[in-house]
Amino acid sequence: MSRIHFDKRRDFLKGAACMAASGAASTFVPQLSMMGTALAGTAPTGYKALVCIYLSGGNDSWNLLIPGDNSTNIPVAGRSPLSGYSPTPFGWYVTSRGGLFQGTADRLGIDRPGAIDQGNTFMPPALGILGNQYGLNPAVPELQTLFNQGKLTFVANVGPLVEPLRRQGFNSLRRPPQLYSHNDQTSLWMIGGGNNSSDPSGWGGRMAGELLNLPPANGLAPCISISGQTRFLVGEYPNGQNLFPYRMSTSATSPSVTLNNYSGATNAGDKRREVLQGLLNETYPQAFTGAYKDVLSRSLSLASTVNQAITGLTTGTTYAAFNTAVAAIPNSGLGQQLRQVARMIAVSRLSGGAIAANRQVFYVSTGGYDTHGGQIPNARPANGVWNGHQGLLQQVSQAMLRFNEALEILNNVAGYSGVKNEVVTFTMSEFSRTINSNGNGTDHAWGAVQMVMAAPSSQGGPLLGNQIYGRYPLQLLNRSFTGAPDALGECFNRGEFLPTTSVDQMSATLARWMGVSPADLPLLFPNISSFTNGAHPNASVMAYNTQTVPFLVV
């Protein structure tokens, strides 16, 4: 090795070390691994985006969507509802919840929609949907609006499965690993089901790689996280090249992570950038050093492109109404993340723009859902802001409505016609929670209710909304089939429901809408054939014996 080559390599490595010492590496260097080559693959036509909202901790979805039917009698041998209630879906729900909430968390029930408000010591009655056959938590009127407009739907009793299960023979059947474990069940939702919670990739990343075939020419990964690193968006392209999510902050001016302390604020920063640029301008004969230089150069260029595009939304009047709508998304942690998703959709979907993406998968998250305690600290808020689990649901409800409104406003901007029909938003959470109280809250369970939001099919969108898909189970503790399976479901002692729709099926539905063919779904969800085999002994416990759930037009 010649002296000049050695010096150049040494200088470059010194520069990299200085970058680490300056604090840049901790936020920027992890982005380098996701930078692909400049080769462009054959991308799908048009634009589509998925937005995943992860509710971390295990959302008590039985406190979100409750049964309101108080007329259909379902007698159960040897069991009686609470005094004053009938053996109806609502009566069994109140019984299993310990009664209507009256100031202490040993009773978690909410009165049925249409009932007379019993006063401040009680929760307000649920918000009615589907003719009051079901009700929504009183803290989420925005979700009621979306549902009634056909822009929202619910998927009931969905969760990780390896094969169809029932309580009879449960211990002899294949089950997901580490049931009720936050880490394992989170992994299975992000992986897309199955029985291997250690798979390092997620179905969002695998799907994006499969659809795009090769990295986009501009280097921007099709998977974008506004909530840090996530397994959900890790995948690979068919050529074996890794796909890692591009991580962004919620900043409205410089959300794309770049080098800290390398320009702008101080003369020292400008000098550091000048020295770095000099190193980048050199030619290096060593393969590793040259490759590192190229990746760093492309990363800096991409960060600049993204930041300029985001900043450009505030230039002129073209996006004025859209910016107003984005600002109306609540200033909560989740709301700020969804603001950034809306901006990225605007700059990515624009034909002829600097990004011009075809398929994107976004990830945002919000926490606090592990409500072992403090589930219902107050019956109702004095200032309109709920506490406890109601407060968490309120934040999601308000953010989802305003995010949807921002997309509808963007749809009216020149060049964006149809964008409101090209985005599907959905929730994930590791599990639901027990129906009955532990005295102060609820504990880990299994099957859950998830939400899907999009433009309704009646208006050109993909969502067959204003419906509840899957099988909403009878809210009766320790229920099991006495003979052939029925549509009311099974659960263990505290209401840990055995799912009747698999994570694989819900996820595959979203992947199909994005453009994955039915033949390729098993590549993304290797376990999905377990739920399409009508010959399985427990096939009848499943709500669907198909790859997908019919909540989207695919």
Side-chain angles (χ1 to χ4, degrees), residues 181-192:
S181 155
H182 287 291
N183 289 341
D184 291 273
Q185 301 313 301
T186 294
S187 295
L188 290 174
W189 269 97
M190 294 186 173
I191 290 167

Side-chain angles (χ1 to χ4, degrees), residues 222-251:
C223 299
I224 299 173
S225 173
I226 321 295
S227 188
Q229 186 60 272
T230 170
R231 182 193 313 234
F232 173 61
L233 298 182
V234 175
E236 68 175 17
Y237 297 98
N239 65 1
Q241 183 170 341
N242 290 332
L243 191 166
F244 295 106
Y246 191 79
R247 287 179 286 168
M248 301 179 66
S249 74
T250 58
S251 169

Side-chain angles (χ1 to χ4, degrees), residues 333-351:
L334 175 61
Q336 291 178 23
Q337 293 175 65
L338 288 175
R339 289 178 183 179
Q340 198 65 280
V341 173
R343 296 186 194 106
M344 277 303 294
I345 289 173
V347 300
S348 300
R349 198 269 193 185
L350 183 62
S351 178

Side-chain angles (χ1 to χ4, degrees), residues 161-166 168 170 173-174 498-500 502 505 527 529-533 536-542 544-545:
L161 286 169
V162 181
E163 62 180 322
L165 289 177
R166 60 177 294 177
Q168 180 180 340
F170 181 81
L173 297 169
R174 294 178 298 155
L498 280 64
T500 50
S502 72
Q505 291 170 300
N527 198 52
S529 61
S530 298
F531 311 105
T532 60
N533 180 9
H536 190 284
N538 293 328
S540 59
V541 307
M542 301 299 292
Y544 309 97
N545 293 129

